[in-house]
Amino acid sequence: MLQGRTFAIGRGRGRETFLVTTPPIGELRVTVRPIRVFDDPVLRSVAAPVQDFDRELRRLVKSLTATMRAGSGRAGLAAPQIGEPVRVVVYSYDGKSGHLVNPRLELSQRRVTADEACLSAPGVWWPLERSYMVTARGRDMFGKPVTVRALGMLARVLQHEADHLDGVLFSDHLDAGDRERFLAEALPAV
């Protein structure tokens, strides 16, 4: 029988480190992974499309989900944020949760501004304009087609995580002055 595992995770540079015990889910061992911080070059790389819908992909989706749920206030996470350069995102907001492999987003014309944050720049929130509605199409971890229609904050989460797959950070959407102020606040935090 598979057993859970206990290990320490943290981000260094004076950041909190904590222990996480991960029970296995089915036959897959789930690992909570450290989240890459804002100045990590992997966050600027374009993620590769997933080709194989295999056990490794299922393990990655489970680890992404466990990592997202390991902290409070987390609504989404993209594979590059844990150092995996593939096109996979997980989300959980207001009772809707799931994952998308190789997502493609259709954005509405209606745009709204709201505060946004990133797990790779913890504690820094900034107002950002995004589409209010999104239709996201992709696959699940078994290769079956998935469509997610989202409004408001969940639409924002999906756009934010899809940006990570293209090496785009949400600060890239800010004007030059706001970007400079954001980076001044975010980089000391990382």
Side-chain angles (χ1 to χ4, degrees):
M1 179 176 200
L2 292 174
Q3 296 182 0
R5 181 174 149 196
T6 302
F7 58 96
I9 64 173
R11 294 190 189 89
R13 294 190 198 176
R15 287 250 163 83
E16 145 185 4
T17 298
F18 52 97
L19 293 177
V20 176
T21 301
T22 59
I25 296 176
E27 295 182 18
L28 298 177
R29 185 175 305 275
V30 176
T31 304
V32 173
R33 310 255 301 264
I35 295 172
R36 302 294 178 102
V37 292
F38 215 69
D39 57 352
D40 191 317
V42 73
L43 296 176
R44 289 299 191 175
S45 301
V46 175
V50 171
Q51 302 294 324
D52 299 319
F53 291 80
D54 58 7
R55 184 182 180 113
E56 283 302 311
L57 176 62
R58 291 188 294 280
R59 182 177 288 123
L60 172 61
V61 169
K62 300 287 186 184
S63 288
L64 273 168
T65 302
T67 302
M68 177 184 63
R69 292 182 175 162
S72 64
R74 296 179 176 184
L77 190 64
Q81 289 180 277
I82 62 168
E84 297 290 339
V86 293
R87 300 186 76 78
V88 179
V89 300
V90 296
Y91 60 90
S92 181
Y93 184 77
D94 201 24
K96 281 192 163 186
S97 61
H99 66 278
L100 287 164
V101 179
N102 299 332
R104 298 171 321 280
L105 271 55
E106 299 167 18
L107 308 176
S108 71
Q109 296 294 323
R110 180 178 172 199
R111 299 182 61 83
V112 294
T113 299
D115 283 348
E116 190 164 320
C118 183
L119 296 176
S120 295
V124 182
W125 290 79
W126 213 268
L128 182 65
E129 183 179 77
R130 291 215 188 248
S131 290
Y132 178 71
M133 294 186 303
V134 168
T135 300
R137 299 180 201 287
R139 303 266 173 192
D140 70 10
M141 68 177 113
F142 301 102
K144 294 179 183 170
V146 175
T147 300
V148 177
R149 289 179 179 79
L151 301 169
M153 188 56 78
L154 183 56
R156 178 173 296 277
V157 168
L158 292 173
Q159 290 169 80
H160 180 105
E161 302 312 330
D163 276 351
H164 277 298
L165 302 180
D166 293 325
V168 175
L169 301 176
F170 88 90
S171 60
D172 296 341
H173 295 289
L174 302 175
D175 66 42
D178 280 345
R179 184 178 312 115
E180 187 176 319
R181 286 187 293 279
F182 172 84
L183 292 174
E185 200 171 322
L187 290 179
V190 297

